Amino acid sequence: MQSTNPATGEQLATYEEDDAVDVEEKLALSMDAYADWRDRPIRERETLLANAGSVLRENKRRYAELMVREMGKPISQAIAEVEKSAWACDHYAEYASAYLSEEHYPSPPGTEVKTVHDPLGPVLAVMPWNYPFWQVIRFAAPYLTAGNVGLLKHASNVPGTALVLEEVFTEAGYPEGVFQTLMIGSSQVEDVLADDRVKAATLTGSGPAGRAVAETAGKHLKKTVLELGGSDPFIVLDDADLEAAVETGVQARTQNGGQSCIAAKRFLVHEAVYDEYVDRLVDAFEALVVGDPTDEATDVGPQADAALMADLQEQVQASVDAGATLLTGGEPLDRDGAFYPPTVLSDVPSGCPVDSEETFGPVAAVYEVADEQEAVTLANDSRFGLGASIWTEDRERGEQLARDIESGAVYVNELTKSDPRVPFGGINDSGYGRELSETGIKEFVNRKTVWIQ
């Protein structure tokens, strides 16, 4: 298993994969750890999670630099990711016991009836490379604190990060085996998930990967939470604050090199402001600094992998061939590394790749709409349903339209984001289940009814 710097093409390190014996030992250890961990008082588990948040903050520069080297995220964004991960630890360290408190119900005199929230056991997490710390911490923080133990199968291009995440929990004082990294390839996931000791799984990734995990889990009647791809609409209405909608739209499309499931991908702009908005958007895209991700001044680093960049370029070129107009960008930059420029396409034909597929890179497709109803119709004309963003100065109008959008989340006058205080997840081909908040921590617990006569 190798890690490669996408900014230079330099091979960074080689890691030994776990063989069948290694995997068996880790599964056995997870069960041993669970037998004790599930009975630890939740306040103790919360204290350890707070420790993990401290470990993240104390080492944030080192962790951020590792992310930069392995997947190309600009250093300022990498530091922010570690800080956000620490925030998730803080949140569950403070609120997990309240989220999982007993729920009492009316019952006959002399009886007590309640729901308690028991852990399930070892939970497998199949996590992506694009937010290699945040994705893992948003899995581990709630589910470990609920009393489960974690088995991480991280993306194969961030093996160093996968091992460091195990280090975070060790340094925080977690017992051995409560959080382990499986250094395995995707082909081994099915066997691990099918093992009787693994009780549930969560995956963030592609549609095919999600379907494979769901199929295996369904065959064995195991709970899953899937967060898959997205093609989020970013709706700009005629009464929007254009300056704010441009500034946030650029961030929503290009942060993390545009490699985000909840990035703004389809910009649906009211005809009354379309020309001005698109001109401003193109100017802002062209002003972004594309370059060395270790430089604090860089806005957009390399794509995480040359092959992924080639796929993105194929989507853009096929869309142009189908009739889309290229307003800026559109070709890999002529330099070492997997650098792709911020790109804007207009006159996007229905069904072309940038319209119907997820584009995992800094490519914005812009559409002119006659009114808010056409915007909603186009927004919902997608097999995905992860998030959406609506821009209007009329908050009541925005809230009403938000109810008409078919997605797991809608943000009015804000970019779509994940936040430990609110549930996160999608519908349709964007997956099912919810992460974060009280809803998320209860996905992998047994909501047990206890009747005491």
Side-chain angles (χ1 to χ4, degrees), residues 182-205:
L182 300 176
M183 299 292 281
I184 60 175
S186 298
S187 62
Q188 294 163 273
V189 168
E190 182 176 0
D191 288 342
V192 172
L193 182 52
D195 191 285
D196 288 342
R197 290 165 289 190
V198 174
K199 300 303 181 184
T202 179
L203 175 142
T204 298

Side-chain angles (χ1 to χ4, degrees), residues 255-417:
Q255 68 175 342
N256 203 43
Q259 299 163 126
S260 172
C261 296
I262 53 172
K265 299 187 174 89
R266 295 178 295 138
F267 288 71
L268 315 179
V269 186
H270 194 286
E271 62 183 10
V273 296
Y274 177 84
D275 290 338
E276 181 181 358
Y277 184 83
V278 172
D279 287 346
R280 288 192 185 192
L281 187 71
V282 170
D283 289 345
F285 267 45
E286 292 178 344
L288 293 170
V289 177
V290 182
D292 181 0
T294 66
D295 188 335
E296 298 280 356
T298 294
D299 298 308
V300 180
Q303 301 298 281
D305 181 88
L308 294 173
M309 182 178 70
D311 291 341
L312 180 67
Q313 173 60 20
E314 285 184 11
Q315 290 176 303
V316 170
Q317 188 58 55
S319 299
V320 171
D321 291 344
T325 300
L326 183 65
L327 300 181
T328 189
E331 289 284 347
L333 298 181
D334 186 15
R335 63 170 74 168
D336 292 336
F339 290 93
Y340 199 85
T343 296
V344 180
L345 296 168
S346 65
D347 307 313
V348 177
S350 176
C352 75
V354 300
D355 174 67
S356 61
E357 301 173 6
E358 179 177 31
T359 49
F360 221 60
V363 175
V366 294
Y367 303 74
E368 183 175 1
V369 296
D371 52 37
E372 61 188 40
Q373 245 353 92
E374 185 180 0
V376 169
T377 299
L378 271 178
N380 292 336
D381 185 21
S382 171
R383 58 191 175 90
F384 298 104
L386 192 52
S389 182
I390 299 173
W391 290 79
T392 172
E393 290 284 73
D394 184 338
R395 290 161 57 95
E396 185 176 337
R397 181 189 191 191
E399 182 176 2
Q400 180 57 52
L401 289 177
R403 300 299 300 271
D404 297 331
I405 301 294
E406 296 169 1
S407 66
V410 180
Y411 284 74
V412 179
N413 298 326
E414 177 61 286
L415 57 79
T416 305
K417 57 187 177 180

Side-chain angles (χ1 to χ4, degrees), residues 42-70:
I42 191 167
R43 289 296 190 186
E44 183 179 332
R45 297 196 296 259
E46 287 175 330
T47 297
L48 290 172
L49 185 61
N51 293 348
S54 297
V55 172
L56 287 164
R57 289 191 178 91
E58 290 164 5
N59 296 279
K60 66 180 179 181
R61 185 80 194 189
R62 176 165 67 91
Y63 296 157
E65 290 174 348
L66 176 59
M67 278 191 277
V68 171
R69 290 193 300 271
E70 287 199 318

Side-chain angles (χ1 to χ4, degrees), residues 205-207 211 227-230 382-385 426-432:
S206 69
R211 285 181 171 85
E227 193 262 278
L228 308 178
S382 171
R383 58 191 175 90
F384 298 104
I427 62 172
N428 302 329
D429 280 14
S430 291
Y432 54 74

Side-chain angles (χ1 to χ4, degrees), residues 45-57 82-96 134 137-138 140-142 145 168-169 172 174 420:
R45 297 196 296 259
E46 287 175 330
T47 297
L48 290 172
L49 185 61
N51 293 348
S54 297
V55 172
L56 287 164
R57 289 191 178 91
V82 181
E83 291 172 339
K84 184 175 183 179
S85 299
W87 176 34
C89 293
D90 295 344
H91 179 79
Y92 282 105
E94 182 174 359
Y95 292 107
W134 167 245
I137 295 298
R138 83 181 192 193
T145 311
V168 169
F169 292 97
Y174 280 71

